[in-house]
Amino acid sequence: MSATDGAEPAYAPLCLPPRAPARAPDFALPEGTCDCHMHIFGPRADYPLAEARNYTPQLCTLETYLAMMAHTGIARAVLVQPSVYGTDNRAQLDAMARAPERFRAVVVVAPETGDAELAALHAQGVRGVRVNARNPGGLKLEDVPRLAARIAPLGWHIQLQTSLERLAELDDLFAAVPVPLVVDHFGLPDPRLGPSSAPFRNLLRLLESGRLWLKLSAPYRASRLGAPFDDLLPLVEALVAARPDRLLWASDWPHSELWDAMPDTTDLVDLAGRWLATDALRQQVLVDNPARLYWA
């Protein structure tokens, strides 16, 4: 079966495939390192894509990701439901079921999903619901209060893909949410504004309050300079200084929605070593924090 399984509609162009690692990482990840945000894209005959989407992924199998884990030293991972599958979580759940001790999942479910179905998902290893405000086909930020009320008894969290500006606008909405909130991809900041900008200061305030977790992931989605993403360094330094116990790291493999400048995942692993300059920080962000959020 081909990676694409057919022609692509103009509104959903085909992404680049992930690059095979070209070298070994420059530093050894601590034992138990967790990649907190990655996706599996299975054959379309088994896992059809949603019509409401803005990109088309390549075929990216669990076997390919497991090989990348072995190459880089990643021990565990969190499968995050991508927008192109809508509320059909089977591709991520089926992958998780093949190595349940190594994987957890974040899914997309409707707010009216029944208690029995939520409990079954929890037993499989689901630990959160994703609300993606940027791509079509997902849940909306306005769904957060109802979702939070449903999943609070399970100890789940809500994962948000949204901009820092939108996060600030919805501060009152999130204030009453009774579950942890996890923002991915740095909150998609504009690094040209620096750590003193109002949206970034609001992010730091939320982190310092303990209400929020943040994923250090997908620097290519925020950087205006490209690899090695030096314009993000002042932001990373501010985040690490504020609440390292609320930070998570992720590869964002297979780096979907990219049509040029596909990164080598090994380079992103090395970047984590640069951002987290001490063994203690690496242990906290790469191992201990995800253990608390996803495996507790």
Side-chain angles (χ1 to χ4, degrees):
M1 180 175 295
S2 72
T4 61
D5 292 342
E8 315 311 334
Y11 62 83
L14 180 68
C15 305
L16 289 173
R19 289 169 57 184
R23 58 176 180 83
D26 289 339
F27 85 104
L29 290 169
E31 184 177 353
T33 288
C34 182
D35 179 356
C36 293
H37 189 113
M38 47 75 61
H39 314 289
I40 294 299
F41 297 106
R44 292 191 212 171
D46 299 321
Y47 308 105
L49 301 175
E51 287 295 322
R53 68 183 194 274
N54 63 343
Y55 70 91
T56 298
Q58 298 273 349
L59 177 65
C60 298
T61 66
L62 181 63
E63 287 76 15
T64 304
Y65 181 73
L66 288 171
M68 195 277 292
M69 294 177 82
H71 180 86
T72 58
I74 293 170
R76 300 175 297 172
V78 179
L79 292 140
V80 175
Q81 173 74 347
S83 63
V84 295
Y85 285 134
T87 58
D88 181 356
N89 297 287
R90 290 177 300 139
Q92 312 314 304
L93 295 178
D94 290 351
M96 180 171 59
R98 293 178 56 186
E101 72 285 352
R102 301 184 69 185
F103 291 98
R104 291 291 184 263
V106 174
V107 298
V108 176
V109 294
E112 60 271 15
T113 302
D115 290 344
E117 182 176 347
L118 293 176
L121 289 170
H122 185 82
Q124 293 175 70
V126 172
R127 293 297 181 266
V129 177
R130 188 185 197 198
V131 176
N132 184 344
R134 295 184 62 249
N135 297 88
L139 300 170
K140 298 178 173 58
L141 290 168
E142 291 72 20
D143 293 322
V144 166
R146 280 200 301 155
L147 279 169
R150 300 300 317 286
I151 67 176
L154 296 168
W156 291 8
H157 62 270
I158 290 178
Q159 177 179 318
L160 304 170
Q161 182 165 143
T162 188
S163 67
L164 294 189
E165 291 78 10
R166 190 78 197 277
L167 190 66
E169 292 173 7
L170 296 171
D171 191 47
D172 290 341
L173 174 66
F174 299 143
V177 171
V179 300
L181 298 173
V182 180
V183 172
D184 56 24
H185 307 338
F186 290 91
L188 301 170
D190 182 345
R192 295 172 297 187
L193 302 178
S196 62
S197 70
F200 193 80
R201 289 200 311 272
N202 180 65
L203 174 67
L204 291 177
R205 179 181 61 81
L206 291 171
L207 278 177
E208 290 165 350
S209 74
R211 292 165 48 201
L212 197 73
W213 298 71
L214 184 75
K215 293 186 183 183
L216 307 178
S217 58
Y220 39 81
R221 303 196 191 281
S223 174
R224 301 309 196 266
L225 298 180
F229 316 114
D230 287 342
D231 51 341
L232 294 179
L233 277 175
L235 306 185
V236 172
E237 291 169 353
L239 292 166
V240 169
R243 285 297 296 262
D245 62 327
R246 286 294 183 270
L247 301 180
L248 306 160
W249 174 81
S251 72
D252 192 37
W253 190 92
H255 322 297
S256 57
E257 272 188 280
L258 291 184
W259 293 273
D260 57 31
M262 175 60 65
D264 185 326
T265 305
T266 306
D267 292 338
L268 300 178
V269 169
D270 287 343
L271 193 59
R274 182 183 175 196
W275 288 340
L276 308 169
T278 68
D279 289 342
L281 269 175
R282 292 169 183 173
Q283 176 69 27
Q284 182 174 44
V285 175
L286 301 176
V287 182
D288 297 342
N289 291 352
R292 287 165 48 214
L293 185 64
Y294 299 104
W295 269 269

